[in-house]
């Protein structure tokens, strides 16, 4: 529809989309549209991922049941909350088959990781899937206000709020953008834009933002967590 907003005009980094993912739109919103948002709250979901009121265990949920389960109204949230994030994703319970495929040597040299789940924190998980040492290098480029506390977060926490999905009061959004985008831009000096087949490395800016989002909102504001359901609407033949 022509009424849809896109990230291809105005101040845009649309050409970085293969590497930034949804953050190319966030950048566009930051530079072109923030002062036009008139609602008290603003929020973002993802393609095939939705906020729901209660956890859904049945992947074959019917379309009417999905519609009834969707979270649609921020008035249902206690007014003391400032933002909504997805329920935390644990980094302890990853599939070992995937690890053996991509990181076999590392586990052979350090088998204790297999046995002791307490060794698996956010930093360990990021090192495995997005390049060893990359998170440390990126954190070194953070502003002084967040650098040490974010480093402590990724080494002490074993779960984060996933998918870069959030809702927040509109006045908070600019503060988040003012921190995340200058940081990611500095990270470009390290990681650049490599057209690699390794998705975990190619989309590193989105994955860095995902961990930082979880840290920044929980550090600064009162967070309400909601379940996120993944569902491809094309599964519904008559939708």
């Amino acid at each position: 529809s022509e009424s849809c907003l896109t990230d291809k005009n105005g101040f845009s980094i649309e050409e970085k989309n293969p590497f930034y993912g949804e953050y190319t739109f966030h950048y566009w919103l930051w530079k072109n549209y923030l002062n036009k948002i008139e609602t008290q709250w603003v929020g973002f979901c993802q393609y095939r991922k939705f906020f729901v009121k209660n956890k859904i265990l049945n992947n074959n949920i019917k379309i009417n049941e999905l519609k009834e389960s969707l979270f649609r109204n921020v008035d249902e949230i206690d007014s003391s909350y400032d933002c909504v994030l997805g329920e935390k994703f644990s980094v302890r319970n990853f599939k070992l088959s995937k690890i053996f495929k991509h990181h076999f040597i590392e586990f052979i040299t350090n088998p204790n990781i297999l046995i002791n789940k307490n060794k698996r924190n956010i930093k360990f998980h990021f090192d495995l899937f997005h390049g060893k040492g990359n998170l440390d290098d990126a954190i070194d480029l953070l502003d002084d206000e967040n650098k040490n506390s974010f480093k402590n977060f990724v080494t002490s926490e074993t779960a984060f709020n996933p998918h870069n999905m959030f809702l927040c009061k509109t006045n908070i959004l600019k503060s988040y953008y003012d921190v995340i985008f200058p940081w990611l831009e500095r990270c470009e000096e390290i990681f650049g834009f490599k057209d690699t087949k390794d998705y975990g490395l190619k989309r590193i800016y989105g994955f860095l933002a995902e961990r930082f989002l979880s840290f920044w909102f929980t550090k600064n504001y009162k967070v309400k967590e909601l379940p996120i359901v993944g569902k491809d609407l094309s599964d519904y033949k008559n939708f």
Side-chain angles (χ1 to χ4, degrees), residues 45 49-54 56 61 63-73 76 226-229 231 233 239:
C45 61
K49 293 185 178 72
F50 310 91
F51 282 114
V52 289
K53 301 172 188 175
N54 300 294
I56 296 176
I61 185 172
I63 183 63
N64 289 336
E65 295 173 331
L66 178 62
K67 287 181 178 180
E68 292 175 1
S69 300
L70 294 179
F71 178 77
R72 298 174 181 270
N73 191 348
E76 298 176 12
L226 286 176
I228 293 174
V229 62
K231 187 62 179 174
L233 296 183
F239 179 70

Side-chain angles (χ1 to χ4, degrees), residues 99-125:
I99 302 303
F100 284 131
K101 180 178 179 181
H102 297 285
H103 304 280
F104 180 73
I105 299 299
E106 187 154 358
F107 273 107
I108 290 298
T109 58
N110 191 7
N112 186 47
I113 298 296
L114 283 171
I115 302 170
N116 189 355
K117 289 187 176 183
N118 292 327
K119 298 288 185 179
R120 305 175 190 171
N121 55 29
I122 293 174
K123 178 187 178 303
F124 170 79
H125 183 267

Side-chain angles (χ1 to χ4, degrees), residues 205-223:
Y205 301 105
F207 291 120
L208 286 170
E210 184 180 36
R211 274 62 171 185
F212 185 77
L213 180 150
S214 184
F215 153 78
W216 190 84
F217 276 104
T218 54
K219 172 192 174 187
N220 295 299
Y221 301 100
K222 186 175 180 181
V223 172

